[in-house]
Amino acid sequence: MIDKSTSSSRGAVVSVRGGVVDVQFDERLPSIFSVLHAGTKGEIIVEVMEQLDARRVRGIALTPTQGLARGMAVENSGEPLRAPVGKKIISRMFDVFGRPIDRQPAPSDIQWRSVHHAPPSLSERSTKSEIFETGIKAIDVLVPLERGGKAGLFGGAGVGKTVLLTEMIHNMIGHQKGVSIFCGIGERCREGEELYRGMKEAGVLKDMVMVYGQMNEPPGSRFRVGNVALTMAEYFRDDEHRDVLLLIDNIFRFIQAGMEVSGLMGQMPSRLGYQSTMSTELSGLEERIANTHAGAITSIQAVYVPADDLTDPAAVHVFSHLSASIVLSRKRASEGLYPAIDLLQSNSNMATPGIVGDRHYKLAQEIRKTLAQYEALKDIVAMLGLEQLSPEDRNAVARARRLERFLTQPFFTTEQFSGIKGKLVSLKDSLDGCERILRDEFKDYPESALYMIGAIGEAKKTDPKPKPDPQSKSSQQPQPKPQPKIAPGVSHES
């Protein structure tokens, strides 16, 4: 990967303590972030993190250090860690060193760029707040994403997080002509393999790049994989002027890897054991995700909240960078309401009249009010029944249930499993449908007519008052009262 002919000096290992390697140089010291090669074949890679004195540097190993011993020769590459960029990296999967890990030959005709870049300057950034349309009704109406912004995705296992990410990748590629980059920080090997296979089967791998720093790799490798993915994203934004969707799973593991690196370096920890440089390190990564005049990098980041404590320093610092939060609900998933987004817990900074417009803002507020009213009445309905509510409350419950079903949507990436053709719904159609439901235009339609459809016009194809089938009709008719048993020989008249 690195041309060793550019080596400027040689050194020797002074000490090895786990992933921390001290190296002594007789000539010029390597600069910070320089990559050093050690081992018999240069297979052990160390990144310089600190200059201890005029002759010694301290680095963090990006690969396992088995076999490394004092006195071993070290070669300074004279360059920082670099990432491959170019059109040929699309549809491939790489590790932190830009080596393919999808069992295919290394791509040819690519460039290598340093992973360390400053964020775009203020003069390069676009000052206009724009909405990033996903084609997913629930997100576009209630949790609009910012083009060039960061959104947090909160969800446990089995609630549809990966399916939602896959659908957004599909819509980004197929309808916005963009490119998607998936960055796995501290991912399990199984998860990475399953996601790669799932993306391939869904047909979205042809326009995306995957980068992994897996859980079994050293902390230095996990700490840098985010920079590698951002370098690739910046190429597509700045050189090819394309919109990029950057998916990061999990941003907390980036902070965790930085904490491990800081501890290995012997730096003084801050609150709860986090590194004192956490804010700077996270900002250096997040601020590179921006909307410029050339294009935009829009990021969706899975966020793990330690012990569900929103006051944890890691959560606080991540939240300060997010412009939207999408919360997935296990309860909605169990009810079959996909995507299983908790419509009341999710929120977005873009949902203001100045950005989305007065009509969209007022409509979103009315939807939230109706859903909140339904949530408050659920216990009464469960205990006493719908009949005990006032007519106004019954109408509110009916509207809320129809809204919940209209905000479900069949996905393109699940067609092969559900047999239902996927739908991409424009923001205009989504708002129009919600507005007509709130006006009680569909109160005579069954709730099922609004479930798993695209635009609201598809519900019109359903008979608003369908004829019940004979079985259900007979089951709803009152059953005749059982006749009392009559003794033999006694007539009914008697």
Side-chain angles (χ1 to χ4, degrees), residues 69-382:
R70 285 192 297 173
M72 275 192 171
V74 176
E75 189 171 10
N76 174 21
S77 69
E79 296 178 344
L81 185 67
R82 297 192 297 173
V85 296
K87 295 181 180 179
K88 296 292 182 68
I89 68 171
I90 295 179
S91 79
R92 302 299 303 273
M93 184 162 61
F94 299 94
D95 65 6
V96 70
F97 305 108
R99 299 182 297 217
I101 53 175
D102 51 6
R103 299 180 180 176
Q104 295 184 35
S108 57
D109 191 25
I110 57 174
Q111 307 171 36
W112 293 86
R113 293 185 181 177
S114 169
V115 302
H116 302 284
H117 288 286
S121 63
L122 290 177
S123 61
E124 297 173 346
R125 293 174 183 257
S126 174
T127 56
K128 184 180 179 182
S129 294
E130 298 179 69
I131 298 300
F132 177 79
E133 280 196 39
T134 63
I136 299 171
K137 291 181 284 190
I139 293 177
D140 289 343
V141 173
L142 292 174
V143 201
L145 304 186
E146 179 185 7
R147 183 173 178 266
K150 281 85 70 174
L153 180 61
F154 305 83
V159 295
K161 181 174 62 176
T162 301
V163 173
L164 185 58
L165 291 179
T166 311
E167 182 70 7
M168 296 182 78
I169 291 172
H170 177 278
N171 293 352
M172 175 72 177
I173 292 169
H175 302 279
Q176 301 196 26
K177 307 303 179 187
V179 63
S180 298
I181 296 178
F182 183 91
C183 176
I185 305 177
E187 283 283 284
R188 298 173 184 86
C189 303
R190 171 187 57 79
E191 291 176 341
E193 192 275 335
E194 287 177 355
L195 185 64
Y196 177 80
R197 184 158 29 88
M199 297 292 181
K200 195 169 185 178
E201 291 174 357
V204 299
L205 188 63
K206 63 183 183 301
D207 282 297
M208 70 176 297
V209 187
M210 304 178 80
V211 190
Y212 278 97
Q214 299 176 49
M215 192 176 282
N216 63 330
E217 297 182 15
S221 175
R222 287 180 271 123
F223 189 54
R224 289 295 178 224
V225 70
N227 298 69
V228 173
L230 266 170
T231 303
M232 295 175 175
E234 287 168 342
Y235 164 80
F236 290 110
R237 179 191 67 188
D238 300 334
D239 291 36
E240 296 199 3
H241 305 291
R242 297 173 72 178
D243 282 355
V244 183
L245 179 62
L246 175 65
L247 306 165
I248 300 178
D249 188 7
N250 188 306
I251 193 62
F252 172 76
R253 295 190 186 124
F254 168 79
I255 296 175
Q256 200 172 37
M259 181 169 59
E260 294 178 50
V261 169
S262 176
L264 289 170
M265 295 292 295
Q267 297 172 357
M268 184 70 70
S270 182
R271 183 177 164 226
L272 296 184
Y274 287 105
Q275 66 274 33
S276 56
T277 55
M278 175 176 63
S279 176
T280 305
E281 292 167 355
L282 184 63
S283 298
L285 187 76
E286 297 280 12
E287 289 302 309
R288 291 172 66 178
I289 302 170
N291 181 7
T292 68
H293 300 297
I297 300 175
T298 304
S299 176
I300 300 174
Q301 306 171 6
V303 183
Y304 167 71
V305 181
D308 293 334
D309 179 16
L310 295 179
T311 64
D312 187 272
V316 170
H317 282 86
V318 170
F319 289 147
S320 66
H321 292 280
L322 300 179
S323 58
S325 299
I326 302 171
V327 182
L328 298 183
S329 163
R330 192 172 301 279
K331 185 173 182 296
R332 287 180 61 85
S334 66
E335 295 172 357
L337 300 175
Y338 289 104
I341 298 172
D342 191 321
L343 303 173
L344 294 176
Q345 292 286 335
S346 305
N347 60 79
S348 170
N349 296 342
M350 295 292 102
T352 61
I355 297 175
V356 299
D358 285 335
R359 176 178 176 250
H360 185 167
Y361 174 75
K362 290 177 181 177
L363 200 54
Q365 292 298 100
E366 184 67 23
I367 293 169
R368 288 184 183 275
K369 179 182 174 183
T370 305
L371 293 174
Q373 192 175 357
Y374 174 45
E375 194 69 29
L377 293 170
K378 273 184 178 178
D379 289 342
I380 299 176
V381 173

Side-chain angles (χ1 to χ4, degrees), residues 440-458:
D440 289 335
E441 191 175 321
F442 291 85
K443 66 179 181 179
D444 294 329
Y445 284 72
E447 294 173 0
S448 59
L450 299 169
Y451 179 69
M452 284 296 173
I453 63 172
I456 196 69
E458 296 180 27

Side-chain angles (χ1 to χ4, degrees), residues 7 17 40 64 126 167 277 294 399 427 485:
S7 174
R17 298 185 304 282
T40 54
S126 174
E167 182 70 7
T277 55
R399 282 193 291 267
L427 177 60
K485 292 183 178 180

